Amino acid sequence: MEWEQLQVQVLPVSTAIVIMMNGEPYGRFGDDDDDDDHDGPGRHSSPPRDPGNLIYLALVLAGVGFLLPYNSFTIAVDYFQERYPGTTIVFDISIVYIFVAFGAVLLNNLVVELVPLNVRIIFGYVVSLLMLIFVSFFEIWWPDTFPTNLSYKITLFSVSIVALGCTVQQSSFYGYTSMLPKRYTQAVMTGESTAGLIISGNRILTKLLLDDQRTNTMIFFVISIAFVILCLITHIAVQRTTFIQFYLNLCRTSENTDDLKRITLQPSEDANLVDLCAGSAGSSYGGTVTPPSDSTATFHSAATLPVSASVDPVDSQAPSYRVEHVIMGRVRGGYMSTYTTSIRLWAAVKRGVVARWQVGRNVWQYMLSIALAYFVTLCLYPGIETEVVSCYLHSWMPVVMMAIFNLFDFIGKILASVPYDWTRRQLVGGSVARVLLVPLMMLCAAPRQSPIVPGEMTPFLLSGLLGLTNGVLGSVPMILAPTKVQDEHRELTGNIMTLSYYVGLTLGASVAYGLDSILGPPLPHPCSDKLQVSIQHSFLPKPTLGLSSVPTHILPSLLSQQLLHNITDTSG
């Protein structure tokens, strides 16, 4: 078989290299500095335009699509609390989702180079749709299909499958938008908040229009399913646009391993025994040094590759050479490789580890900031927020609390797009300061019988502040991090930031269980229990005999008589 003409720059070991193919430089070269117009190193000078911001709006819908299934379970808290009274169903849904999601994002980081991006996204949509349809019919419309204990477990199992699909989808979307200008990452994060806003409005509307809990919850889930289908169709349409394909191809050009294989040859090494490597350790992306004209060797066949490019070692003044890069040409009828599968796999592992280390070293402050932000959020939302009781709003209280959070989270995501020069220290400091919201919200829920901070206004304000700060501090690090790395690492950076995001979610959901244990066991009828405590303190005389000594069967009669007596005295 004939090989295409190859050119290899043979340079001194200490000299930067230039890759040549058919006489032309291979890959993209440019300034390492960030391009303000196109958000990153090496951005193209004249990319396609986004007509009417349609791509932006489509990515907002993408953010809606992968978070809406989870929100459908948490926002329907009133239905699940009524169906499984006296349980920690909301905490269980949250912890199951988060732990499975954490495993899924780890998996996605491992297979990011193996499974095509679009396959991962479509997989997430399909899994979410199937589970939402299953829960809608077998857990809501036909609630007696399974016994209550089994139904509880099936609900949690459905949540876990949704978590797997949605998280692979979410992590893939962040890697996907990291290859686009940074405003499109902000679009996806705005979509996440929009999902919460849509689902909260959906729940409030269905609950207002229909009194029957089962029917309004069924309609609620059907609307959610319709939105997910809309998001799937939009994604398929947008994926084919010139705008998207331009940026995907731009970031993947330097990763085209079919045309480029990199090896390092020492002067005494056999070409068949060398190991693949990611490139010379001292090379920098985009930098070129023009070598002398006599340092270029042209090869027409792999067999002509010399095992050594050294000059006479006796001459101490002569430079020592080695081959740094060899481009394996495309063979007619397929590809030719002299390396075994095990060597290729080991090289891929090494490249992956090195790339992740380099990315982590560049963006660790952003990773820490987003992890802390979502840690605090999951400590309180949705778990502790649903434990704040209102005897005025009753079952509406958790719905309103979460609607306020989602509204202000949406506002925060919008504010994150406002131009501002955020420093890494500001982001980390702001995320640390949010920890103060945890004890403040706990005062609104503990103790259960009589919270230290009663009423509805304080919890509403804290929920709004939690959502607003989550919107800003949960978005800005994700938006900025991909702009701090080279183009070929932008998708990987998006996936690593998503991993940090889920580390915070997982730790926060775990701590939420501890906070719930501080509150104590849930009250079956919290408002009636509060009324009884109030009556005891307000109307009963203060005898020397303790209340515990009054016989249980006499107490209701005693309470009613004393209450009637006080009312009569007041009216008189």
Side-chain angles (χ1 to χ4, degrees), residues 13 158 168 194 255 289 299 319 396:
V13 173
S158 301
V168 169
T194 306
E255 298 174 0
V289 176
F299 303 97
W396 279 95

Side-chain angles (χ1 to χ4, degrees), residues 179-449:
M179 295 186 282
L180 307 177
K182 63 186 180 183
R183 68 186 295 257
Y184 294 95
T185 300
Q186 186 266 337
V188 172
M189 304 206 77
T190 301
E192 290 185 3
S193 298
T194 306
L197 201 59
I198 289 172
I199 213 71
S200 294
N202 178 14
R203 189 60 189 142
I204 291 172
L205 186 63
T206 53
K207 196 174 175 67
L208 281 173
L209 295 179
L210 296 168
D211 293 331
D212 183 70
Q213 191 83 301
R214 184 171 64 91
T215 303
N216 64 40
T217 305
M218 179 65 185
I219 296 174
F220 166 78
F221 268 86
V222 168
I223 295 174
S224 298
I225 292 169
F227 267 105
V228 175
I229 293 173
L230 174 63
C231 296
L232 172 59
I233 294 172
T234 304
H235 167 72
I236 293 173
V238 167
Q239 189 70 12
R240 302 174 182 176
T241 61
T242 304
F243 182 91
I244 295 295
Q245 290 303 315
F246 170 83
Y247 281 103
L248 296 187
N249 292 333
L250 186 65
C251 290
R252 289 171 178 169
T253 298
S254 61
E255 298 174 0
N256 190 351
T257 55
D258 289 335
D259 291 331
L260 176 60
K261 301 294 181 185
R262 296 169 177 172
I263 64 172
T264 300
L265 291 179
Q266 297 295 343
S268 60
E269 288 179 326
D270 189 335
N272 291 326
L273 299 178
V274 297
D275 189 9
L276 283 167
C277 71
S280 59
S283 63
S284 62
Y285 175 83
T288 62
V289 176
T290 304
S293 59
D294 59 352
S295 65
T296 300
T298 300
F299 303 97
H300 297 277
S301 170
T304 65
L305 181 65
V307 296
S308 174
S310 299
V311 297
D312 187 359
V314 176
D315 186 0
S316 60
Q317 295 181 352
S320 176
Y321 296 97
R322 67 179 177 183
V323 179
E324 284 287 355
H325 289 67
V326 176
I327 300 175
M328 306 299 292
R330 191 183 297 260
V331 183
R332 296 173 185 173
Y335 289 90
M336 175 70 72
S337 173
T338 60
Y339 302 102
T340 64
T341 303
S342 60
I343 292 178
R344 289 173 181 266
L345 180 61
W346 175 240
V349 171
K350 288 199 296 183
R351 287 197 302 271
V353 171
V354 170
R356 284 161 176 78
W357 169 254
Q358 291 174 343
V359 168
R361 189 173 57 182
N362 288 335
V363 301
W364 69 268
Q365 295 98 329
Y366 299 114
M367 295 166 62
L368 177 62
S369 176
I370 199 168
L372 285 172
Y374 281 99
F375 165 76
V376 173
T377 299
L378 263 290
C379 284
L380 300 175
Y381 178 91
I384 299 301
E385 285 206 353
T386 64
E387 298 299 312
V388 178
V389 176
S390 169
C391 295
Y392 177 72
L393 294 175
H394 299 284
S395 66
W396 279 95
M397 185 62 178
V399 175
V400 174
M401 285 281 286
M402 287 192 281
I404 291 173
F405 172 87
N406 287 316
L407 173 62
F408 281 90
D409 184 45
F410 176 78
I411 295 172
K413 294 291 198 304
I414 298 297
L415 292 177
S417 66
V418 175
Y420 180 76
D421 188 18
W422 288 94
T423 65
R424 304 184 187 216
R425 181 175 296 180
Q426 285 175 331
L427 293 173
V428 174
S431 296
V432 171
R434 294 181 77 234
V435 175
L436 293 174
L437 293 173
V438 176
L440 292 176
M441 185 68 79
M442 285 292 291
L443 294 178
C444 299
R448 291 185 186 272
Q449 292 84 356

Side-chain angles (χ1 to χ4, degrees), residues 34 39-41 178 182 479-485 490 493:
D34 287 356
D39 314 316
S178 294
K182 63 186 180 183
I479 294 169
L480 294 181
T483 67
K484 308 303 179 183
V485 300
R490 287 166 76 93
T493 303

Side-chain angles (χ1 to χ4, degrees), residues 9-243:
Q9 297 294 345
V10 184
L11 304 177
V13 173
S14 61
T15 306
I17 61 167
V18 180
I19 307 173
M20 307 290 289
M21 174 174 273
N22 294 328
E24 297 296 333
Y26 180 87
R28 291 165 293 138
F29 303 97
D31 194 352
D32 281 347
D33 295 334
D34 287 356
D35 188 323
D36 293 336
D37 293 333
H38 304 110
D39 314 316
R43 296 276 92 181
H44 197 276
S45 58
S46 58
R49 296 191 177 276
D50 178 6
N53 289 318
L54 294 178
I55 305 296
Y56 183 91
L57 294 176
L59 289 172
V60 170
L61 272 181
V64 171
F66 65 68
L67 208 58
L68 190 142
Y70 168 65
N71 278 331
S72 297
F73 285 96
T74 57
I75 299 297
V77 56
D78 54 326
Y79 172 80
F80 288 114
Q81 285 181 338
E82 182 180 288
R83 178 158 169 75
Y84 309 111
T87 65
T88 56
I89 181 63
V90 178
F91 288 90
D92 293 342
I93 287 175
S94 178
I95 200 71
V96 167
Y97 185 94
I98 297 304
F99 270 92
V100 174
F102 182 69
V105 78
L106 284 175
L107 175 65
N108 192 66
N109 271 270
L110 294 176
V111 304
V112 62
E113 293 97 352
L114 303 177
V115 181
L117 176 69
N118 204 43
V119 172
R120 286 178 270 137
I121 291 175
I122 297 295
F123 168 79
Y125 274 121
V126 171
V127 168
S128 302
L129 279 171
L130 291 177
M131 286 299 101
L132 284 176
I133 292 170
F134 174 81
V135 169
S136 298
F137 285 96
F138 293 99
E139 291 297 314
I140 298 172
W141 194 245
W142 300 314
D144 298 328
T145 305
F146 306 104
T148 303
N149 290 338
L150 180 59
S151 176
Y152 191 93
K153 296 175 182 177
I154 290 174
T155 299
L156 295 181
F157 176 76
S158 301
V159 170
S160 68
I161 300 300
V162 167
L164 174 65
C166 288
T167 306
V168 169
Q169 182 186 3
Q170 181 182 23
S171 183
S172 300
F173 260 119
Y174 279 129
Y176 170 39
T177 56
S178 294
M179 295 186 282
L180 307 177
K182 63 186 180 183
R183 68 186 295 257
Y184 294 95
T185 300
Q186 186 266 337
V188 172
M189 304 206 77
T190 301
E192 290 185 3
S193 298
T194 306
L197 201 59
I198 289 172
I199 213 71
S200 294
N202 178 14
R203 189 60 189 142
I204 291 172
L205 186 63
T206 53
K207 196 174 175 67
L208 281 173
L209 295 179
L210 296 168
D211 293 331
D212 183 70
Q213 191 83 301
R214 184 171 64 91
T215 303
N216 64 40
T217 305
M218 179 65 185
I219 296 174
F220 166 78
F221 268 86
V222 168
I223 295 174
S224 298
I225 292 169
F227 267 105
V228 175
I229 293 173
L230 174 63
C231 296
L232 172 59
I233 294 172
T234 304
H235 167 72
I236 293 173
V238 167
Q239 189 70 12
R240 302 174 182 176
T241 61
T242 304
F243 182 91

